[in-house]
Amino acid sequence: MKEQIVKILTELRPEFDFNENVDFIEEGMLDSFDVVSLVDELETKFNIKINGIDVIPENFSSVENIEVLVNKSTLK
């Protein structure tokens, strides 16, 4: 799953290396529009529904946090 998440992130923002161990939000790698696009891509790719209350910066700050979010999100 990690590789699929990195692929989605790289397609969204190819100018960044999402394998780095940095906070994607704090470093400006993802902005609010990117997060909305990312939620849509994750929901489609993994056939899940991400709850609106889970769309917070902390859940999109690293590949690991995104993976936790995907795992806890319910199926459509």
Side-chain angles (χ1 to χ4, degrees):
M1 178 185 299
K2 180 179 179 177
E3 295 80 21
Q4 293 171 312
I5 293 170
V6 170
K7 183 176 184 227
I8 292 168
L9 288 165
T10 302
E11 289 172 358
L12 190 63
R13 297 294 299 266
E15 66 272 24
F16 295 116
D17 179 2
F18 288 97
N19 290 304
E20 292 182 29
N21 190 19
V22 297
D23 185 315
F24 302 153
I25 304 297
E26 281 187 17
E27 294 297 318
M29 296 167 75
L30 296 175
D31 61 24
S32 58
F33 183 76
D34 295 326
V35 170
V36 171
S37 299
L38 180 56
V39 166
D40 182 57
E41 289 291 324
L42 293 170
E43 288 182 338
T44 301
K45 177 72 175 176
F46 296 107
N47 194 32
I48 58 171
K49 180 66 179 156
I50 296 174
N51 194 320
I53 62 170
D54 290 325
V55 182
I56 57 174
E58 294 80 18
N59 288 337
F60 298 93
S61 62
S62 69
V63 172
E64 291 76 19
N65 288 355
I66 295 169
E67 190 172 9
V68 168
L69 176 64
V70 168
N71 284 328
K72 80 174 206 168
S73 296
T74 59
L75 296 177
K76 286 185 177 177

